[in-house]
Amino acid sequence: MLSRETVASQLSHTLSEIDIPNLGKKISGKVRDSYVVGAKRVLITSDRLSAFDKILTTIPFKGQLLNAMTAHWFEQTKDIIENHIIDVPHPNIFIARQVEIIPIEVVVRGYLTGSAWRDYQAGKAISGITLPKGLKKSQRFDTPLLTPSTKAEQGEHDMPISEEAILQSDLVDPGLWEQVRDAALKLFAFGTKKAAERGLILVDTKYEFGTSVNERGERFIVLADEIHTQDSSRYWMSNTYQERFEAGEDPHMLDKEFVRRHLMQKFDYMGDGEPPVLSDEFRIDTALRYIEACETITGTPFEGRPGDTASEIREVLANYSF
Ligand SMILES: Nc1ncnc2c1ncn2[C@@H]1O[C@H](COP(=O)(O)OP(=O)(O)OP(=O)(O)O)[C@@H](O)[C@H]1O
Ligand SMILES: [Mg+2]
């Protein structure tokens, strides 16, 4: 594992954002800056840390870690469904196929927690699914639930949507939605199995799918964005889950939840107004947690490439033949 010193020395080189004017108009997401170049999409994963839909700070190596995890899972799941990756010319860059993103966040849940738990407690259905009474927080579902939401515009929160409403909408062709749901459930089952081999529970996750057209003019689905990362998924430790669940305690987590807790407990911050300034100590601790989680999830040591990430990216892209 990278030492605390290496992580600390990268604090001054974190990638907060980048402009590559030669590639055209920049599209900024919360975490990725991207460009469309012909039929390709250049996705640059920054070190930005977001929580409560706000960008808080940067975390050393976070972009490289997210890409390493996604690349790992894409490789392992390519027989389940085709994904958008074409090339990884630098640890922070994905060259992907540009697809038409289906504007639905495809959420799959194996356990009752997070926003689903909050809605359940408030007596609401979860994306149109009415759950039986008497379930407990962090309880496992007999079969994973598909709880989609619509993709919100920048600055807005996503809204849950039922599958029935999806089928009646013009968000996606019903035949393609059938393929999306099938792929999402298979990916989740695969991720659950692999996580279990590493002592982890894949609690819930979010997928993004896009569509592309083949030579015969038919539309088909492609897995896009990221998969099974700590930004898009919850992970818990399996060994302590049952005991803690029975005692009514929250499971030990391996995801970004500790960032949200830090904000709530130390700063009483839940996303309203200016986010607090996070200390370098906290940024280093967060990086070390991301690294440890990445290594546990992928089962391989994270090398990390220290250095002036922004200059490297510029150089790689200036010489890239698209
Ligand atoms: N292959 C692709 N083709 C077209 N768009 C893509 C592709 N892969 C990802 N995207 C889009 O690129 C953007 C990636 O940026 P980022 O992950 O920062 O997104 P975001 O939507 O702001 O955040 P979040 O992931 O939390 O919803 C997203 O809008 C995603 O839908
Ligand atoms: Mg995203």
Side-chain angles (χ1 to χ4, degrees):
M1 184 155 151
L2 291 181
S3 68
R4 195 176 179 91
E5 289 67 48
T6 308
V7 171
S9 66
Q10 191 65 14
L11 277 173
S12 53
H13 284 313
T14 55
L15 185 70
S16 57
E17 59 175 320
I18 190 159
D19 285 304
I20 318 273
N22 284 347
L23 297 185
K25 186 174 167 286
K26 177 164 90 167
I27 308 163
S28 295
K30 284 190 285 291
V31 172
R32 291 168 187 82
D33 290 337
S34 54
Y35 293 90
V36 180
V37 183
K40 297 190 176 124
R41 187 165 185 121
V42 182
L43 289 148
I44 304 164
T45 309
S46 75
D47 294 323
R48 297 194 286 271
L49 174 72
S50 75
F52 302 118
D53 293 329
K54 290 275 168 70
I55 294 158
L56 304 167
T57 183
T58 55
I59 303 298
F61 298 109
K62 179 172 174 276
Q64 295 186 20
L65 286 154
L66 292 181
N67 276 9
M69 276 185 275
T70 291
H72 166 85
W73 285 108
F74 273 158
E75 179 56 32
Q76 299 219 338
T77 57
K78 62 181 187 215
D79 293 337
I80 299 178
I81 181 177
E82 199 169 325
N83 63 63
H84 67 160
I85 286 293
I86 298 172
D87 190 16
V88 185
H90 179 276
N92 287 82
I93 308 173
F94 279 165
I95 308 290
R97 184 182 336 170
Q98 167 69 5
V99 295
E100 210 173 294
I101 293 285
I102 297 172
I104 296 170
E105 310 259 356
V106 184
V107 179
V108 184
R109 299 171 187 275
Y111 293 75
L112 182 55
T113 187
S115 63
W117 168 246
R118 285 193 290 278
D119 286 349
Y120 178 73
Q121 270 187 308
K124 290 191 220 158
I126 322 293
S127 302
I129 303 168
T130 306
L131 292 170
K133 288 209 162 50
L135 299 181
K136 292 198 199 122
K137 188 176 185 200
S138 311
Q139 185 160 345
R140 184 172 170 274
F141 297 126
D142 293 337
T143 46
L145 300 187
L146 198 72
T147 61
S149 49
T150 55
K151 266 179 88 64
E153 295 295 313
Q154 243 186 2
E156 313 262 317
H157 294 289
D158 302 333
M159 288 294 287
I161 182 170
S162 68
E163 286 198 69
E164 204 185 346
I166 290 175
L167 293 175
Q168 283 162 9
S169 73
D170 51 11
L171 295 170
V172 57
D173 169 84
L176 292 175
W177 175 252
E178 205 45 53
Q179 294 176 35
V180 164
R181 89 182 311 278
D182 184 60
L185 292 173
K186 281 188 182 142
L187 289 168
F188 192 74
F190 180 82
T192 299
K193 187 176 109 211
K194 286 289 162 189
E197 290 169 11
R198 311 227 160 270
L200 300 174
I201 294 174
L202 177 61
V203 181
D204 49 37
T205 196
K206 177 203 88 177
Y207 304 108
E208 283 188 40
F209 292 88
T211 64
S212 220
V213 182
N214 67 16
E215 317 79 58
R216 292 191 298 282
E218 299 150 346
R219 272 202 181 270
F220 62 98
I221 60 165
V222 178
L223 178 62
D225 212 44
E226 59 180 344
I227 162 172
H228 299 170
T229 67
Q230 286 138 295
D231 275 15
S232 66
S233 321
R234 279 197 179 81
Y235 285 97
W236 292 337
M237 306 297 295
S238 352
N239 58 349
T240 51
Y241 166 76
Q242 194 59 28
E243 194 186 318
R244 296 181 69 90
F245 172 68
E246 281 165 19
E249 290 166 12
D250 285 335
H252 282 136
M253 59 215 164
L254 202 83
D255 53 58
K256 217 169 79 158
E257 188 66 25
F258 75 94
V259 174
R260 290 187 278 264
R261 279 207 191 158
H262 181 78
L263 292 169
M264 291 191 280
Q265 286 168 2
K266 182 140 194 248
F267 300 99
D268 204 14
Y269 183 77
M270 280 190 71
D272 293 324
E274 270 299 293
V277 175
L278 297 170
S279 71
D280 284 352
E281 281 314 293
F282 180 78
R283 293 167 69 205
I284 297 170
D285 289 343
T286 305
L288 291 170
R289 290 187 71 138
Y290 263 84
I291 294 169
E292 206 186 334
C294 176
E295 293 188 338
T296 311
I297 291 163
T298 62
T300 30
F302 171 70
E303 305 286 344
R305 188 185 306 185
D308 184 352
T309 310
S311 305
E312 284 179 24
I313 291 175
R314 270 180 224 293
E315 171 146 5
V316 166
L317 290 176
N319 297 307
Y320 195 81
S321 54
F322 283 97

